């Protein structure tokens, strides 16, 4: 089985070709990610219209090069997978229409994929010894999403905790901006934090006592107030690094608290949802401290720790290809059937699309 995947939900234009046989398992033959960071840097964040226009320019090259590197042509493919949501509507439309065009021209079946499902399956791209085992508890932390999801098999995604306001990555980015760090803020903030004292400022964890919710919006305000107070007290050359370290600590502590709470509840009351593996995935899962802390947490609960490989934490198309493969294998190829494929030309993008409904298809 050979799958081409296309991803354009935010500011990365990405393509990947995956080959699968029973003997080899899933192998990524080629992949490329074209980042638009430089285009958006002057604006301090992603500008949706600009991002969509960039995808129009970049996608044909990215897809063409990836196919060429894989040694395949479109007609060799068994499936074209494309991110149809959630994400920026204009960006999603470029990717979906491009994929529809390829599929129509070549007759290769099309599968719309939920971007969050891609993130949840990124850990399965790791070498076998590091891959998650089902059931998996995944912490999905990115620029747009923060959720803890329990999954007993591909297609079963049960959110057990999700953010009520900002995503963890958004908190990293906004606090980095407050501290005057360059865009994109997450990696910059964690770099600054490495030199700082994370115990200098104590920030309150949002919705501390609510088991099924994260909240990060209050943290920005607390950081702003603490900065103002420290600045009133005079020059302070350690302020930025200490604030970065303390804010990073606060975000990670909140993620740890809710994850540990879920695991404890399973141990004490409902062992049927005790996971075999703990996965962290999404852009924020590239954070070094988060990886260390979750590795320790997994050890404490004797569950396998399976972080998504670093290069597949941030947006990419390999995870979309894998999500398509997992669905084909789990459903005995149902998505390749004529009945299913009759509907795919009418698929629309979904800027909001909850992961528990990842296998639902909305047509127009
Ligand atoms: O998954 P992703 O590439 O895009 C979305 O689907 O949102 O995640 C991007 C997010 C950004 O908020 C970025 O600041 C954050 O991931 N991020 C990090 C790190 N690397 C990326 N946050 C904290 N520490 C990092 N090392
Ligand atoms: Zn993402």
């Amino acid at each position: 089985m050979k799958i081409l995947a296309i991803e354009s939900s935010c500011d990365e234009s990405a393509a990947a070709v995956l080959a699968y046989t029973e003997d080899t398992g899933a192998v990524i033959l080629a992949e490329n990610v074209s980042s638009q960071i430089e285009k958006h840097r002057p604006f301090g964040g992603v500008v949706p219209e600009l991002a969509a226009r960039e995808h129009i320019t970049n996608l044909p090259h990215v897809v063409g090069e990836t196919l060429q590197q894989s040694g395949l042509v479109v007609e060799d493919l068994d499936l074209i997978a494309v991110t149809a949501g959630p994400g920026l509507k204009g960006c999603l439309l470029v990717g979906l229409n491009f994929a529809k065009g390829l599929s129509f021209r070549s007759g290769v079946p099309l599968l719309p994929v939920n971007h969050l499902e891609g993130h949840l399956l990124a850990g399965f791209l790791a070498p076998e010894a590091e891959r998650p085992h089902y059931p998996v508890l995944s912490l999905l932390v990115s620029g747009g999403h923060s959720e803890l999801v329990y999954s007993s098999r591909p297609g079963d995604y049960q959110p057990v905790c999700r953010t009520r306001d900002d995503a963890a990555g958004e908190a990293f980015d906004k606090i980095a901006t407050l501290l005057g760090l360059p865009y994109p803020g997450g990696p910059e903030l964690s770099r600054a934090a490495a030199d700082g004292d994370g115990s200098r400022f104590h920030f309150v964890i949002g919705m501390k006592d609510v088991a099924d919710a994260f909240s990060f919006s209050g943290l920005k305000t607390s950081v702003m107030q603490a900065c103002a107070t420290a600045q009133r007290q005079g020059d302070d050359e350690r302020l930025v690094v200490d604030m970065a370290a303390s804010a990073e600590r606060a975000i990670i502590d909140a993620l740890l608290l809710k994850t540990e709470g879920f695991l404890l509840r399973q141990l004490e009351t409902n062992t049927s949802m005790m996971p075999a593996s703990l996965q962290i995935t999404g852009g924020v899962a590239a954070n070094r401290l988060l990886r260390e802390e979750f590795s320790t947490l997994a050890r404490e609960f004797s569950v396998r720790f399976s972080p998504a490989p670093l290069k597949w934490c941030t947006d990419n198309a390999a995870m979309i290809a894998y999500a398509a493969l997992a669905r084909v294998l789990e459903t005995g190829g149902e998505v390749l059937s004529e009945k299913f494929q009759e509907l795919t030309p009418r698929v629309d993008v979904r800027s909001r699309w909850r992961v528990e409904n990842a296998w639902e298809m909305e047509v127009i």
Side-chain angles (χ1 to χ4, degrees):
M1 159 127 273
K2 299 182 191 72
I3 301 174
L4 166 71
I6 297 174
E7 154 66 40
S8 69
S9 63
C10 189
D11 60 343
E12 332 270 3
S13 317
V17 176
L18 178 154
Y20 170 84
T21 66
E22 262 180 45
D23 287 343
T24 62
V27 178
I28 301 298
L29 297 182
E31 70 166 315
N32 288 288
V33 179
S34 165
S35 167
Q36 305 176 4
I37 283 178
E38 292 311 321
K39 298 275 173 188
H40 298 284
R41 199 190 294 282
F43 305 98
V46 177
V47 183
E49 282 75 20
L50 180 60
R53 276 203 298 273
E54 285 294 309
H55 286 307
I56 294 175
T57 314
N58 296 341
L59 261 189
H61 299 291
V62 174
V63 173
E65 263 167 44
T66 308
L67 266 178
Q68 202 179 17
Q69 289 162 3
S70 74
L72 302 178
V73 293
V74 180
E75 287 70 21
D76 295 329
L77 300 167
D78 299 292
L79 184 62
I80 297 170
V82 60
T83 303
L88 298 170
K89 194 167 182 188
C91 297
L92 292 164
L93 271 170
V94 178
L96 180 63
N97 285 333
F98 189 85
K100 276 186 181 177
L102 275 184
S103 164
F104 182 73
R105 198 190 70 192
S106 60
V108 175
L110 180 74
L111 180 64
V113 173
N114 180 299
H115 179 81
L116 303 179
E117 180 182 27
H119 277 304
L120 287 181
L121 296 176
F124 291 87
L125 291 165
E128 193 170 357
E130 295 156 31
R131 255 173 245 163
H133 291 173
Y134 284 106
V136 188
L137 181 67
S138 302
L139 178 77
L140 195 179
V141 270
S142 70
H145 301 272
S146 294
E147 34 199 280
L148 195 57
V149 182
Y150 177 88
S151 170
S152 60
R153 54 171 173 76
D156 166 49
Y157 307 113
Q158 304 175 39
V160 295
C161 183
R162 60 164 47 121
T163 186
R164 293 272 172 93
D165 40 59
D166 290 351
E170 206 176 345
F172 267 99
D173 295 339
K174 286 179 176 169
I175 293 166
T177 305
L178 277 177
L179 297 179
L181 297 170
Y183 169 84
E188 290 290 338
L189 189 113
S190 76
R191 216 166 291 138
D195 298 325
D197 172 8
S199 62
R200 178 167 162 197
F201 300 97
H202 290 280
F203 297 116
V204 180
I205 292 181
M207 297 198 182
K208 195 169 180 181
D209 301 320
V210 185
D212 65 355
F214 296 114
S215 168
F216 295 106
S217 64
L219 185 60
K220 286 185 312 250
T221 321
S222 309
V223 168
M224 214 154 34
Q225 284 164 347
C227 276
T229 310
Q231 274 159 349
R232 271 199 303 276
Q233 286 162 356
D235 270 354
D236 181 349
E237 60 189 29
R238 307 275 317 155
L239 182 61
V240 168
V241 288
D242 289 349
M243 192 65 77
S246 305
E248 179 180 61
R249 190 70 258 169
I251 296 169
I252 292 174
D253 280 350
L255 298 171
L256 277 170
L257 179 79
K258 303 293 163 99
T259 311
E260 187 179 10
F262 176 82
L263 291 170
L264 272 176
R265 284 196 302 286
Q266 302 323 306
L267 270 188
E268 287 163 5
T269 58
N270 179 6
T271 42
S272 67
M273 275 178 93
M274 191 67 193
S277 304
L278 178 61
Q279 175 184 215
I280 54 171
T281 185
V284 182
N287 183 280
R288 192 186 47 81
L289 184 62
L290 183 79
R291 290 175 98 85
E292 283 171 14
E293 295 284 8
F294 271 73
S295 163
T296 307
L297 182 68
R299 208 172 320 120
E300 282 167 7
F301 282 87
S302 304
V303 299
R304 189 181 167 84
F305 181 54
S306 302
L310 270 182
K311 72 167 172 175
W312 291 309
C313 280
T314 44
D315 289 349
N316 66 86
M319 67 183 191
I320 303 301
Y322 190 89
L325 173 70
R327 185 158 170 192
V328 170
L329 296 179
E330 188 69 23
T331 61
E334 182 207 327
V335 294
L336 304 173
S337 69
E338 234 169 77
K339 190 165 161 246
F340 186 94
Q341 287 302 320
E342 269 172 18
L343 296 174
T344 58
R346 288 166 42 210
V347 165
D348 199 6
V349 297
R350 292 167 80 171
S351 51
R352 290 172 181 275
W353 185 4
R354 293 197 157 199
V355 75
E356 56 268 41
N357 305 323
W359 286 12
E360 268 178 16
M361 189 161 69
E362 223 167 62
V363 292
I364 41 173

